[in-house]
Amino acid sequence: MRTVDSHFHWFPRSHFEHMAARAEHPRTERVGDGYRYYYNEGRGFLPLPAIWFDLDAGLAASEAATGPDTVVVCTTGVLSGLLDQLPAKDAIDTAYAYNEEIAKAQRTHRDRFFGTAAVPLQDTESALSVLAHAVRDLDLRAVNLPPVTAGDPIDVARLEPFYARVAELGVPLIIHPTDLVFGEMLADYGDALQRTIGRLFDSSVTVLRLIFAGVMERYPDLKIIQTHGGGFLPYQAGRIDKNARQESLPLPPSDYLKRIFVDTVTPQALTVRTALEFYGPDKVIYGTDHPCWSPKAAVGVLEEAGLSDEQHARIRSTNVEAVLNLT
């Protein structure tokens, strides 16, 4: 059985070298074999050591955990949305170059590596062009969605054509936490608040905006993947239904939540079992968050969860192949 890791991080060095040549923020700074990525006008930065740029090492770690038939799906992760801090033309040019590098890796590591697109959203027409190029020309398999774009929330009305086009193309949106919204607010305790709950707030609020704005109602075929077991949402679905009071929605918010795919990047077997119960057996997909988490630990959590053989097969292969069109 082929195993598909839906939550894997790798970055092309060319992007970071390009960002290091910038004088203004966002920009990168070389630190040894890695980089610091400065954002929010330099008030925040992400340390990115060399492991983030070593694709062969990442593939080897994944295969050591789940066998030689392992496939990885590369996402932008916490860097989603940083392109939107660039001037619009720079963001578009940078996105084209980034997506080309991801597509090159997909061609080089055929059937072992699949890429996903970075699409800056501050200009809707340009975003549609980048989207079409990434999906139709480069064959990238999903689109990374940030929580905000150029200061606007992700449910701003001007993005309606973008969501319509994503739904038409049949590729999923990947919602991964960033540090753009809550990072400064929760920067205490060595970033422990932000890294533990702030990032889950980030992705959970993004999903709720898409629901409350009616995006998921208007585009029932729109596919969404939320990382980290759905953040806080499956555990508070009853409260959301009780308190949301969105008269424009014909269904309770939890009905839309259950359309979403969630991954198993959660170091707790209870969360995996809860995700299966809430979302259903066809909506949970395997992920490791490499290099932020160990692939062996990710497999260990699935084993601890006490899953049936059928559940293992769905999570590790069938579900993600369907949502990402990998069959």
Side-chain angles (χ1 to χ4, degrees):
M1 178 183 67
R2 178 167 77 163
T3 296
V4 182
D5 178 358
S6 68
H7 188 158
F8 177 95
H9 301 304
W10 168 78
F11 298 120
R13 278 194 178 273
S14 59
H15 169 68
F16 290 84
E17 289 296 319
H18 168 73
M19 297 300 291
R22 288 181 50 79
E24 301 83 15
H25 296 105
R27 63 181 304 275
T28 60
E29 177 182 278
R30 190 73 179 260
V31 179
D33 290 333
Y35 301 85
R36 280 186 174 184
Y37 204 129
Y38 291 93
Y39 60 93
N40 278 353
E41 299 180 351
R43 295 190 300 273
F45 74 87
L46 291 168
L48 297 168
I51 187 62
W52 291 81
F53 311 97
D54 192 338
L55 181 53
D56 290 335
L59 292 172
S62 296
E63 291 174 2
T66 51
D69 291 332
T70 299
V71 175
V72 303
V73 180
C74 177
T75 78
T76 56
V78 76
L79 297 184
S80 175
L82 292 186
L83 288 181
D84 285 86
Q85 297 195 348
L86 290 166
K89 185 181 185 307
D90 290 352
I92 297 301
D93 292 344
T94 302
Y96 275 118
Y98 177 90
N99 291 337
E100 289 280 1
E101 287 295 319
I102 297 295
K104 179 180 177 181
Q106 182 171 285
R107 293 191 300 271
T108 302
H109 300 275
R110 185 175 178 84
D111 295 329
R112 296 177 64 208
F113 174 101
F114 290 93
T116 61
V119 180
L121 300 171
Q122 60 264 65
D123 179 80
T124 306
E125 288 301 318
S126 297
L128 291 172
S129 296
V130 174
L131 172 66
H133 178 67
V135 175
R136 300 181 68 178
D137 299 336
L138 300 181
D139 196 30
L140 300 184
R141 300 309 175 95
V143 179
N144 298 276
L145 187 74
V148 293
T149 171
D152 291 327
I154 206 63
D155 54 339
V156 65
R158 66 174 177 80
L159 289 180
E160 190 78 10
F162 170 77
Y163 292 119
R165 186 63 173 137
V166 172
E168 181 183 348
L169 289 169
V171 293
L173 295 171
I174 296 179
I175 298 177
H176 185 288
T178 73
D179 296 325
L180 295 176
V181 178
F182 299 101
E184 290 184 57
M185 183 190 312
L186 298 176
D188 303 309
Y189 302 102
D191 289 337
L193 287 173
Q194 169 61 10
R195 290 178 180 272
T196 53
I197 66 170
R199 287 181 176 173
L200 298 185
F201 275 134
D202 183 283
S203 64
S204 298
V205 170
T206 302
V207 168
L208 287 182
R209 283 189 173 277
L210 295 180
I211 293 174
F212 293 166
V215 172
M216 293 189 68
E217 168 63 25
R218 290 189 293 278
Y219 306 106
D221 294 330
L222 181 65
K223 297 187 287 189
I224 295 174
I225 299 172
Q226 185 183 2
T227 54
H228 305 105
F232 297 121
L233 298 179
Y235 314 98
Q236 295 298 330
R239 179 178 177 84
I240 295 168
D241 284 347
K242 170 179 171 289
N243 291 344
R245 300 188 181 92
Q246 298 297 304
E247 294 182 0
S248 60
L249 297 179
L251 302 173
S254 62
D255 282 31
Y256 301 98
L257 281 179
K258 290 178 181 179
R259 296 182 187 173
I260 292 173
F261 291 78
V262 299
D263 69 30
T264 59
V265 177
T266 168
Q268 182 172 271
L270 174 61
T271 308
V272 174
R273 292 195 295 267
T274 302
L276 281 168
E277 182 175 347
F278 180 80
Y279 293 98
D282 60 339
K283 291 293 193 293
V284 181
I285 60 180
Y286 172 69
T288 68
D289 205 9
H290 175 84
C292 297
W293 196 30
S294 159
K296 289 185 177 180
V299 171
V301 168
L302 291 185
E303 293 173 348
E304 184 185 344
L307 307 179
S308 68
D309 290 345
E310 180 183 357
Q311 288 171 325
H312 268 289
R314 283 177 173 269
I315 289 172
R316 290 174 55 164
S317 185
T318 309
N319 293 344
V320 68
E321 286 179 338
V323 70
L324 288 166
N325 302 315
L326 301 186
T327 55

